[in-house]
Amino acid sequence: MAWITVFLFCLIIWGFIATGVTYATNSFTGKPRIEPVEKPKVVDIEKIKKLDLNDKQKRFIDSLTEQPKKKSD
């Protein structure tokens, strides 16, 4: 009778271990942990260029909106 009790006790313990491992592997997969970053807002360049800016500010805005020129070798 004692061996049957030990055997059943071991089955229960191994069942808990297997259940815990299965639960742990399922909880780590699926959902990303980091929330997606919001998309950058689109700025209307024409509205910015219509603002009343001094020359230095206008040059700065133009330098931000220009497309980078590729170097040709």
Side-chain angles (χ1 to χ4, degrees), residues 11 17 19-21 23 25 30 33 35 37 39 42 47 49-50 52 56 62 66 68 72-73:
L11 282 179
I17 292 172
T19 303
V21 169
Y23 176 75
T25 57
R33 294 190 182 265
E35 294 293 323
V37 179
K39 294 181 180 178
V42 177
K47 286 183 180 179
K49 288 185 177 181
K50 289 180 183 177
D52 185 26
K56 189 174 184 180
D62 288 339
E66 288 178 353
S72 56
D73 293 327

Side-chain angles (χ1 to χ4, degrees), residues 13-27:
I13 296 298
W14 282 109
F16 282 135
I17 292 172
T19 303
V21 169
T22 303
Y23 176 75
T25 57
N26 287 339
S27 67

Side-chain angles (χ1 to χ4, degrees), residues 3-57:
W3 286 107
I4 294 173
T5 306
V6 170
F7 178 72
L8 290 176
F9 179 75
C10 288
L11 282 179
I12 291 171
I13 296 298
W14 282 109
F16 282 135
I17 292 172
T19 303
V21 169
T22 303
Y23 176 75
T25 57
N26 287 339
S27 67
F28 288 122
T29 58
K31 298 179 183 176
R33 294 190 182 265
I34 299 174
E35 294 293 323
V37 179
E38 292 182 19
K39 294 181 180 178
K41 296 180 180 178
V42 177
V43 179
D44 191 6
I45 297 171
E46 295 303 319
K47 286 183 180 179
I48 293 174
K49 288 185 177 181
K50 289 180 183 177
L51 295 174
D52 185 26
L53 304 174
N54 62 31
D55 288 338
K56 189 174 184 180
Q57 292 170 331

